[in-house]
Amino acid sequence: MLINSDKLSDSKTEQLHSILQDHHDLAVCYAMKEEMCRLYELTDYQQSVTGWTKWFQAAKESEIPTLVRFAVRKEKRLPGLAAHAIHPISTGKLEGFNNKIKVAKRIGYGYRDDDFFFTLIRYLSIPSVRSPSHKKS
Protein backbone atom coordinates (compact mmCIF):
# COMPACT_ATOMS: atom_id res chain seq x y z
CA MET A 1 0.00 0.00 0.00
CA LEU A 2 1.30 3.45 -0.92
CA ILE A 3 0.97 6.18 1.68
CA ASN A 4 2.10 9.80 1.46
CA SER A 5 4.96 10.62 3.80
CA ASP A 6 2.90 13.12 5.80
CA LYS A 7 0.41 10.40 6.72
CA LEU A 8 2.95 7.88 8.04
CA SER A 9 2.99 6.96 11.70
CA ASP A 10 6.17 7.65 13.67
CA SER A 11 7.30 4.02 13.49
CA LYS A 12 6.69 3.87 9.74
CA THR A 13 8.57 7.14 9.29
CA GLU A 14 11.55 5.64 11.13
CA GLN A 15 11.40 2.53 8.93
CA LEU A 16 11.28 4.69 5.82
CA HIS A 17 14.31 6.75 6.91
CA SER A 18 16.22 3.57 7.74
CA ILE A 19 15.53 2.11 4.29
CA LEU A 20 16.42 5.37 2.53
CA GLN A 21 19.75 5.59 4.43
CA ASP A 22 20.71 2.11 3.25
CA HIS A 23 19.70 2.55 -0.41
CA HIS A 24 21.07 5.68 -2.11
CA ASP A 25 19.27 5.29 -5.46
CA LEU A 26 15.96 4.67 -3.71
CA ALA A 27 16.51 7.78 -1.57
CA VAL A 28 17.16 9.86 -4.69
CA CYS A 29 14.02 8.53 -6.38
CA TYR A 30 11.99 9.18 -3.25
CA ALA A 31 13.23 12.76 -3.04
CA MET A 32 12.45 13.24 -6.73
CA LYS A 33 8.92 11.88 -6.16
CA GLU A 34 8.38 14.31 -3.29
CA GLU A 35 9.57 17.21 -5.45
CA MET A 36 7.29 16.09 -8.29
CA CYS A 37 4.31 16.16 -5.92
CA ARG A 38 5.29 19.70 -4.91
CA LEU A 39 5.48 20.75 -8.57
CA TYR A 40 1.90 19.60 -9.13
CA GLU A 41 0.78 21.98 -6.37
CA LEU A 42 2.21 25.10 -8.06
CA THR A 43 -0.29 27.66 -9.36
CA ASP A 44 2.08 29.89 -11.35
CA TYR A 45 2.86 28.75 -14.91
CA GLN A 46 6.37 30.23 -15.10
CA GLN A 47 7.35 28.80 -11.70
CA SER A 48 6.06 25.46 -12.90
CA VAL A 49 8.14 25.59 -16.11
CA THR A 50 11.24 26.51 -14.10
CA GLY A 51 10.57 23.83 -11.50
CA TRP A 52 9.96 21.07 -14.04
CA THR A 53 13.07 22.09 -16.02
CA LYS A 54 15.19 21.83 -12.87
CA TRP A 55 13.52 18.51 -12.00
CA PHE A 56 14.36 17.05 -15.44
CA GLN A 57 17.97 18.23 -15.14
CA ALA A 58 18.34 16.71 -11.65
CA ALA A 59 16.79 13.43 -12.83
CA LYS A 60 19.26 13.20 -15.71
CA GLU A 61 22.19 14.05 -13.44
CA SER A 62 21.17 11.27 -11.03
CA GLU A 63 22.32 8.74 -13.64
CA ILE A 64 19.69 6.28 -12.41
CA PRO A 65 18.68 4.65 -15.72
CA THR A 66 14.95 4.37 -15.02
CA LEU A 67 14.73 7.91 -13.66
CA VAL A 68 16.68 9.30 -16.63
CA ARG A 69 14.39 7.46 -19.08
CA PHE A 70 11.30 8.77 -17.25
CA ALA A 71 12.64 12.35 -17.32
CA VAL A 72 13.48 12.20 -21.03
CA ARG A 73 9.96 11.00 -21.86
CA LYS A 74 8.21 13.55 -19.65
CA GLU A 75 10.40 16.46 -20.73
CA LYS A 76 8.72 16.33 -24.13
CA ARG A 77 5.46 17.13 -22.36
CA LEU A 78 6.71 20.17 -20.43
CA PRO A 79 4.00 22.58 -21.69
CA GLY A 80 1.25 20.19 -20.60
CA LEU A 81 2.85 19.55 -17.22
CA ALA A 82 3.25 23.27 -16.60
CA ALA A 83 -0.32 23.94 -17.77
CA HIS A 84 -1.49 21.97 -14.74
CA ALA A 85 -0.53 25.05 -12.70
CA ILE A 86 -3.18 27.07 -14.54
CA HIS A 87 -5.76 24.33 -15.15
CA PRO A 88 -5.46 21.69 -12.39
CA ILE A 89 -7.82 19.15 -13.92
CA SER A 90 -7.77 15.38 -13.73
CA THR A 91 -8.85 12.72 -16.19
CA GLY A 92 -10.24 10.58 -13.36
CA LYS A 93 -13.92 11.13 -14.21
CA LEU A 94 -13.28 10.55 -17.90
CA GLU A 95 -11.46 7.29 -17.22
CA GLY A 96 -14.24 6.19 -14.88
CA PHE A 97 -16.89 6.86 -17.52
CA ASN A 98 -14.84 5.05 -20.18
CA ASN A 99 -14.71 2.06 -17.85
CA LYS A 100 -18.52 2.22 -17.42
CA ILE A 101 -18.90 2.12 -21.23
CA LYS A 102 -16.50 -0.82 -21.45
CA VAL A 103 -18.50 -2.74 -18.83
CA ALA A 104 -21.78 -2.01 -20.62
CA LYS A 105 -20.26 -3.27 -23.87
CA ARG A 106 -18.98 -6.43 -22.19
CA ILE A 107 -22.32 -7.12 -20.47
CA GLY A 108 -24.13 -6.82 -23.81
CA TYR A 109 -21.66 -9.16 -25.54
CA GLY A 110 -21.40 -6.52 -28.25
CA TYR A 111 -24.27 -4.69 -29.90
CA ARG A 112 -25.49 -5.19 -33.45
CA ASP A 113 -27.11 -1.78 -33.58
CA ASP A 114 -24.72 1.15 -33.07
CA ASP A 115 -27.62 3.54 -32.51
CA PHE A 116 -28.81 1.47 -29.54
CA PHE A 117 -25.30 1.32 -28.08
CA PHE A 118 -24.82 5.10 -28.37
CA THR A 119 -28.28 5.64 -26.84
CA LEU A 120 -27.19 3.43 -23.93
CA ILE A 121 -24.03 5.55 -23.51
CA ARG A 122 -26.13 8.72 -23.45
CA TYR A 123 -28.43 7.09 -20.88
CA LEU A 124 -25.46 6.15 -18.69
CA SER A 125 -24.26 9.75 -18.80
CA ILE A 126 -27.39 11.02 -17.00
CA PRO A 127 -26.23 12.00 -13.49
CA SER A 128 -29.07 10.18 -11.69
CA VAL A 129 -28.18 6.97 -13.54
CA ARG A 130 -24.44 7.32 -12.90
CA SER A 131 -24.78 7.65 -9.14
CA PRO A 132 -28.22 6.46 -8.06
CA SER A 133 -29.14 7.10 -4.47
CA HIS A 134 -29.63 3.83 -2.64
CA LYS A 135 -32.60 4.97 -0.59
CA LYS A 136 -35.17 2.42 0.41
CA SER A 137 -38.76 3.50 -0.07
Side-chain angles (χ1 to χ4, degrees), residues 31-61 70-71 74-75 77-79 81-83 85:
M32 296 297 288
K33 187 266 307 182
E34 290 292 316
E35 176 62 13
M36 187 185 303
C37 290
R38 189 192 69 76
L39 289 171
Y40 276 114
E41 294 174 1
L42 293 176
T43 56
D44 179 75
Y45 182 83
Q46 197 53 48
Q47 281 182 341
S48 184
V49 169
T50 303
W52 279 109
T53 303
K54 289 179 181 178
W55 191 94
F56 295 134
Q57 187 62 38
K60 291 176 193 172
E61 289 173 2
F70 179 79
K74 291 297 178 186
E75 193 171 25
R77 293 168 176 78
L78 177 61
L81 290 168

Side-chain angles (χ1 to χ4, degrees), residues 114-131:
D114 286 343
D115 289 335
F116 177 79
F117 182 61
F118 291 118
T119 301
L120 175 64
I121 292 171
R122 283 191 293 277
Y123 174 74
L124 291 173
S125 69
I126 299 171
S128 62
V129 174
R130 277 189 282 152
S131 56

Side-chain angles (χ1 to χ4, degrees), residues 3-4 10-11 13 35-38 40 48 59 66 81 85 94-95 102-103 107 109-110 112 115 124 132 135:
I3 301 174
N4 287 338
D10 291 339
S11 64
T13 301
E35 176 62 13
M36 187 185 303
C37 290
R38 189 192 69 76
Y40 276 114
S48 184
T66 306
L81 290 168
L94 176 66
E95 290 176 21
K102 186 171 59 173
V103 169
I107 288 172
Y109 297 104
R112 291 182 189 169
D115 289 335
L124 291 173
K135 296 178 186 174

